[in-house]
Amino acid sequence: MRWRVLGLLFLARIGIGFQFQTVASVSDDLVVAFGLDYADIGFLIGLFMAPGLFLSIPAGYWGRYVSDRIMVVFGLVALALGGAASSLATDSWGIGMGRGCAGVGFLFTSLYFTKMVADWFEGREIATAMSILVMSWPFGIAMGQVGHVWLAQTYGWQVPFQAASVYCLIAALGVFLLYRPPHDL
């Protein structure tokens, strides 16, 4: 059962990397659409990590009162909302606000996916399980590198943000419906 749970968490956590990659993949389009330079693109990419500076301790504390599953679902929904907000942006500030919202989701999911794996695995297996979980981030980035550019060229720069948001919403639904902590079995 725990390996199935790890598979679910791996598939859900792909959404973090998939959403993270959106700005980098459509950067040329954003430069043209909003008159940005590549330093601005780097700033937008960095905004994804910024909420962690302020919310890491409170997010860890809230975990005492809210289940891991709900914290991860909240994080995936925040990732989806951030991507959706970025796709609707009419200026660089709008994309920045979306990236900040997605960054909140990044923080919550990163903290609690890791805790979920630690709850399910122990001993020698935990190293393997954590390694598998950690590989979901670059896997999501690779998916974005392959798919986002094609989506942007075919449908416009907004669609990669929307596609990543839909992925995160489906992942949130999957975790909400399918995940159970080990002590509930």
Side-chain angles (χ1 to χ4, degrees):
M1 179 66 180
R2 65 184 178 273
W3 296 103
R4 285 188 211 142
V5 168
L6 182 60
L8 170 68
L9 299 179
F10 179 90
L11 291 172
R13 193 171 180 270
I14 286 171
I16 301 172
F18 199 46
Q19 189 66 264
F20 174 74
Q21 185 60 32
T22 52
V23 168
S25 292
V26 301
S27 61
D28 291 337
D29 296 320
L30 297 178
V31 166
V32 171
F34 300 116
L36 303 175
D37 59 28
Y38 288 101
D40 297 328
I41 297 297
F43 182 75
L44 289 173
I45 291 169
L47 280 176
F48 197 79
M49 305 289 185
L53 294 171
F54 308 102
L55 293 178
S56 294
I57 293 173
Y61 184 75
W62 293 330
R64 293 179 173 202
Y65 305 103
V66 180
S67 73
D68 300 342
R69 178 175 61 114
I70 297 302
M71 296 297 261
V72 165
V73 168
F74 168 78
L76 288 166
V77 169
L79 279 158
L81 291 174
S86 292
S87 78
L88 298 172
T90 58
D91 59 22
S92 60
W93 283 98
I95 294 174
M97 295 301 289
R99 292 298 281 182
C101 180
V104 170
F106 168 73
L107 169 68
F108 278 85
T109 54
S110 293
L111 286 175
Y112 289 96
F113 274 132
T114 305
K115 184 181 178 300
M116 289 170 158
V117 170
D119 288 346
W120 274 95
F121 293 88
E122 59 186 31
R124 298 163 108 186
E125 289 182 337
I126 197 165
T128 302
M130 286 293 181
S131 298
I132 291 169
L133 182 73
V134 167
M135 289 308 298
S136 62
W137 163 267
F139 189 86
I141 291 172
M143 279 177 47
Q145 288 175 333
V146 170
H148 290 331
V149 174
W150 177 81
L151 286 171
Q153 289 174 346
T154 306
Y155 301 106
W157 67 264
Q158 299 90 344
V159 175
F161 288 99
Q162 295 163 357
S165 293
V166 167
Y167 188 97
C168 290
L169 283 177
I170 292 169
L173 183 63
V175 170
F176 184 76
L177 294 175
L178 301 174
Y179 179 80
R180 296 292 176 262
H183 53 78
D184 285 356
L185 297 176

